[in-house]
Amino acid sequence: MHQILFSFLCFLFFFANSILAEEVVTTKKDEPDGYYGLRLGAIITPTYGHRMRDSASGISDTSQSDRTGFSMPWTLVSISKEWENTGIKVEFWGEVLKANALSADTSVDGGTKSNPHIFAIRRANVQKLWEHGQFRHRLIFGMQELPHMFSVWGGYYDWRYMERSPLESLGFSADPVDLGLSYHAEWKSLSAHIALVNGEGYRSLQNANGTGYDAIGRVSWQNRWSEEFKTGIHFLARRGNAFGNAGNECVEAKTRCLPSDNNANTRLKGDLSLAQDQTVAMEANLLYLQYINLGLGGMAKKQFAGQIRDTLSPFILPVQRKESIGRGAYAWLGLGNGKFRIVFRGEIASGGPNQGLRTTETVAEEPWVRLTDLNTLKTPVYSDKSYYVTRQVYFEYIPLENVRYGIGYFETRSFDAQGTPNKYYIDNFSEERTVSEYRSQFSTPSFPLISEYGRLDRNLVIKVNLVF
């Protein structure tokens, strides 16, 4: 019996060995850039975040949006395959996201979702490549990175795991990834990328902003002066809801074009131009080996004007919403020696208190607004002067090419519509209150008492980034 069992085990061993003996080839030994199997990869970024508080801030509680505790941002899994003879490539990337990045419907705030993390699709596209000498062009169809992500995937902003790139945080597009069709072309030092996408981004429902399509373009000039020295300048433009909008979609509460006025006696309808915006940006880069990485850029956004009518009161004159604009600028400087690097980054933009450029400036300026009606004394009206300033410092230790340890400090100071610093208003029960409640207590004394605190948001993060 033992001999039979021994013979059977030996048979299984040799049989299994013959099955596993064939090598699974995924790359060509002499052609590292070409392969005829699946290419697997991943990015993992364990993170610890700490929101710095002190007695001057007045805030002691936390929220789901705080950068506190342990998390796994910028965690991806990638699968791709390329058919060299035909120039066709397929990409599929998955990304780990916090559930509240897509919805607030979690068990914490009374919802039903108990899982704080979900696995979402970041890329899922088919590409076709043509090469004619020095001219290369590629057609991409599906879920893909948008043109303003060139700094990240082009190697200019390679510490994306520490914080989003500037054009992301300023809000050039709703998300870095979207569904659509794009065309990418390269010739010597010139390149261009044109995309037509849904516009909501890969984390939002389709047609949330409107049924139109966003048109996005980038033109770049990049020159490598030597093996160590490279410069580039990039021009970008985006037109939100450029075309394809339905004629009746700018109705209150139907899309983000026109929010509800919470009045059952009205039914507001706005011009389609209220759902359209235009954004332009420019960025310049300088790279010298791993020693110097310099980036300078700016962005401007315009929200178009339009009229809002009450369809239940057709004889009332429509309300004119004026055109508004917003501006932002940023810079970063990375200094290092290949093993250690320190990065300084600054950003300023209209809006606030949170990061993200908003269109705040209008043509509604004194004295013309007050002179429009001589029989009524109006409150002075000026453009919204709110803006924010953020400063960031990263320190990196790079033991291997694909392994990085980083620690970063972030602070954001914001200013309100009058241009004065934003503040927290806290009562003696440690609950946050509004500025109107704070001011009313001086004319009508009430309980609880409310105090004001200067607002300076500060965060400290520790991250490890592994790419394989």
Side-chain angles (χ1 to χ4, degrees):
M1 182 66 181
H2 292 288
Q3 292 179 348
I4 296 176
L5 180 61
F6 178 78
S7 300
F8 181 69
L9 292 175
C10 291
F11 173 78
L12 287 178
F13 174 79
F14 286 113
F15 181 73
N17 187 54
S18 64
I19 293 177
L20 302 175
E22 183 179 355
E23 181 184 1
V24 178
V25 179
T26 58
T27 61
K28 295 183 179 180
K29 296 180 180 179
D30 298 327
E31 300 181 27
D33 293 332
Y35 57 95
Y36 48 96
L38 293 177
R39 175 173 291 177
L40 305 177
I43 300 175
I44 300 177
T45 311
T47 298
Y48 173 74
H50 175 70
R51 180 177 177 180
M52 302 173 67
R53 296 178 174 86
D54 53 36
S55 59
S57 68
I59 295 293
S60 59
D61 59 343
T62 60
S63 68
Q64 293 183 16
S65 61
D66 279 352
R67 299 179 180 182
T68 56
F70 298 98
S71 60
M72 291 290 292
W74 195 237
T75 298
L76 309 172
V77 176
S78 64
I79 303 174
S80 62
K81 181 178 177 62
E82 184 174 353
W83 290 267
E84 296 180 8
N85 295 334
T86 61
I88 297 176
K89 181 179 180 180
V90 178
E91 284 187 327
F92 178 85
W93 288 31
E95 181 178 14
V96 176
L97 297 175
K98 277 192 173 183
N100 66 352
L102 299 180
S103 171
D105 185 25
T106 64
S107 59
V108 176
D109 48 28
T112 59
K113 294 181 181 177
S114 58
N115 187 1
H117 294 89
I118 57 177
F119 190 77
I121 300 174
R122 182 176 176 106
R123 288 191 196 180
N125 61 71
V126 179
Q127 305 180 18
K128 170 62 178 178
L129 173 67
W130 294 271
E131 295 190 29
H132 304 282
Q134 294 183 315
F135 183 64
R136 293 163 49 94
H137 52 134
R138 184 188 304 268
L139 194 66
I140 309 172
F141 185 48
M143 189 175 292
Q144 57 192 283
E145 304 284 335
L146 297 182
H148 69 285
M149 291 294 289
F150 73 96
S151 293
V152 176
W153 303 112
Y156 296 109
Y157 191 86
D158 58 352
W159 45 83
R160 168 63 169 76
Y161 71 99
M162 292 297 298
E163 176 65 331
R164 297 176 301 167
S165 63
L167 288 179
E168 287 181 88
S169 64
L170 287 173
F172 182 86
S173 289
D175 273 324
V177 177
D178 207 344
L179 272 165
L181 178 69
S182 72
Y183 173 75
H184 186 275
E186 297 180 12
W187 181 72
K188 295 184 178 180
S189 298
L190 297 175
S191 66
H193 190 180
I194 302 172
L196 182 67
V197 296
N198 285 338
E200 286 82 12
Y202 73 123
R203 298 185 183 184
S204 298
L205 294 175
Q206 191 168 338
N207 300 328
N209 293 335
T211 57
Y213 304 100
D214 285 10
I216 308 173
R218 173 183 60 84
V219 177
S220 300
W221 175 84
Q222 304 173 88
N223 191 52
R224 185 175 294 278
W225 304 95
S226 66
E227 291 297 323
E228 300 84 12
F229 187 53
K230 179 183 177 180
T231 58
I233 186 168
H234 320 273
F235 301 92
L236 299 99
R238 170 182 164 272
R239 182 68 178 261
N241 282 319
F243 57 88
N245 299 72
N248 62 343
E249 69 179 32
C250 195
V251 178
E252 64 171 325
K254 186 176 181 179
T255 64
R256 297 175 189 171
C257 169
L258 190 61
S260 173
D261 63 349
N262 298 315
N263 185 353
N265 297 319
T266 62
R267 181 171 174 79
L268 303 181
K269 182 178 180 180
D271 296 336
L272 288 179
S273 60
L274 296 175
Q276 297 177 328
D277 59 79
Q278 182 175 307
T279 308
V280 294
M282 184 184 72
E283 182 176 304
N285 303 102
L286 182 150
L287 285 175
Y288 178 69
L289 279 182
Q290 68 269 26
Y291 302 118
I292 300 176
N293 185 332
L294 175 65
L296 302 171
M299 191 178 99
K301 184 176 182 178
K302 178 169 66 175
Q303 187 73 44
F304 291 104
Q307 293 183 338
I308 301 174
R309 302 171 181 83
D310 183 3
T311 55
L312 298 181
S313 303
F315 301 106
I316 296 179
L317 292 177
V319 176
Q320 179 73 25
R321 182 181 293 179
K322 295 180 173 58
E323 181 179 279
S324 59
I325 60 174
R327 301 180 181 88
Y330 60 88
W332 74 73
L333 175 63
L335 304 172
N337 60 3
K339 288 291 183 182
F340 299 93
R341 178 164 59 184
I342 186 170
V343 181
F344 303 94
R345 173 182 164 184
E347 181 180 307
I348 182 172
S350 57
N354 299 319
Q355 280 186 267
L357 183 149
R358 290 191 295 109
T359 58
T360 59
E361 301 176 24
T362 69
V363 295
E365 298 258 348
E366 286 282 355
W368 312 114
V369 172
R370 296 184 69 175
L371 294 177
T372 55
D373 188 353
L374 298 178
N375 298 319
T376 304
L377 181 61
K378 293 187 175 182
T379 302
V381 178
Y382 296 92
S383 289
D384 185 335
K385 294 178 173 57
S386 61
Y387 69 99
Y388 71 91
V389 180
T390 180
R391 301 177 181 88
Q392 304 171 16
V393 179
Y394 319 137
F395 178 76
E396 290 185 291
Y397 169 55
I398 311 173
L400 299 172
E401 182 180 359
N402 297 329
V403 179
R404 299 177 180 218
Y405 299 87
I407 181 171
Y409 171 77
F410 309 81
E411 72 171 35
T412 301
R413 187 178 294 278
S414 57
F415 301 82
D416 61 18
Q418 285 74 42
T420 58
N422 277 314
K423 297 179 176 66
Y424 287 115
Y425 298 92
I426 312 297
D427 63 22
N428 51 1
F429 295 116
S430 298
E431 298 292 335
E432 189 169 358
R433 309 299 286 265
T434 65
V435 61
S436 60
E437 291 175 319
Y438 168 75
R439 291 172 179 171
S440 66
Q441 69 180 348
F442 298 104
S443 58
T444 307
S446 61
F447 187 81
L449 299 177
I450 304 172
S451 302
E452 65 175 358
Y453 297 85
R455 178 164 183 167
L456 177 63
D457 297 325
R458 299 181 297 162
N459 295 275
L460 184 69
V461 297
I462 299 173
K463 298 195 177 191
V464 180
N465 181 243
L466 302 96
V467 181
F468 56 92

